[in-house]
Amino acid sequence: MAKNILICDDAAFMRMMIKDILSKNGYTVVGEAENGAKAVEKYGELKPDLVLMDITMPEMDGIQALKKIKEADAGASVIMCSAMGQQAMVIESIQSGAKDFIVKPFQADRVLEAVRKVVG
């Protein structure tokens, strides 16, 4: 069964890149969000199986959005993405409920490995 995924990144080309990797591998991208506030809103509307969330975004960052999504749905599956391999952010993401962490620029196989690990 295809898994529904929501992609949240402020960079359109990153969303396009991730969408391309996922679509070619049998996943369905049900929505995209360009900031954390939109991500929380879309999560509520779409109820995806997985969210791929960038950390650094305008309006509301990915960690705040992750916390809000987990508040609304404790069972939510979120994988964080960030160009900054900052230890503190990785730790905060995991403590806030993220299932995994991908560092940009990412390789397609790393994205797929993280997605498979979380949603199969």
Side-chain angles (χ1 to χ4, degrees):
M1 188 185 103
K3 296 292 181 181
N4 295 328
I5 301 176
L6 172 63
I7 300 172
C8 312
D9 197 304
D10 56 327
F13 78 95
M14 284 309 266
R15 293 196 307 269
M16 199 174 73
M17 219 169 85
I18 297 168
K19 185 176 186 170
D20 190 51
I21 292 168
L22 295 170
S23 301
K24 284 180 179 162
N25 287 277
Y27 294 98
T28 305
V29 175
V30 291
E32 295 181 28
E34 64 281 355
N35 63 54
K38 278 266 189 287
V40 173
E41 187 184 305
K42 293 242 173 153
Y43 184 86
E45 283 169 27
L46 304 166
K47 300 278 189 274
D49 298 305
L50 177 67
V51 180
L52 285 176
M53 178 94 66
D54 186 26
I55 287 184
T56 314
M57 293 187 289
E59 278 186 59
M60 181 191 291
D61 71 33
I63 292 175
Q64 286 176 296
L66 165 67
K67 288 176 180 171
K68 286 222 178 293
I69 288 171
K70 293 298 273 188
E71 260 171 44
D73 177 2
S77 294
V78 181
I79 295 175
M80 303 304 282
C81 311
S82 180
M84 303 166 295
Q86 293 171 325
Q87 210 58 41
M89 285 200 159
V90 176
I91 292 165
E92 189 178 349
S93 296
I94 301 299
Q95 285 173 341
S96 298
K99 303 267 195 226
D100 204 345
F101 194 95
I102 305 169
V103 179
K104 296 178 190 174
F106 35 63
Q107 318 293 287
D109 55 358
R110 175 65 188 110
V111 172
L112 292 168
E113 175 196 325
V115 169
R116 284 189 194 112
K117 195 171 94 181
V118 177
V119 293

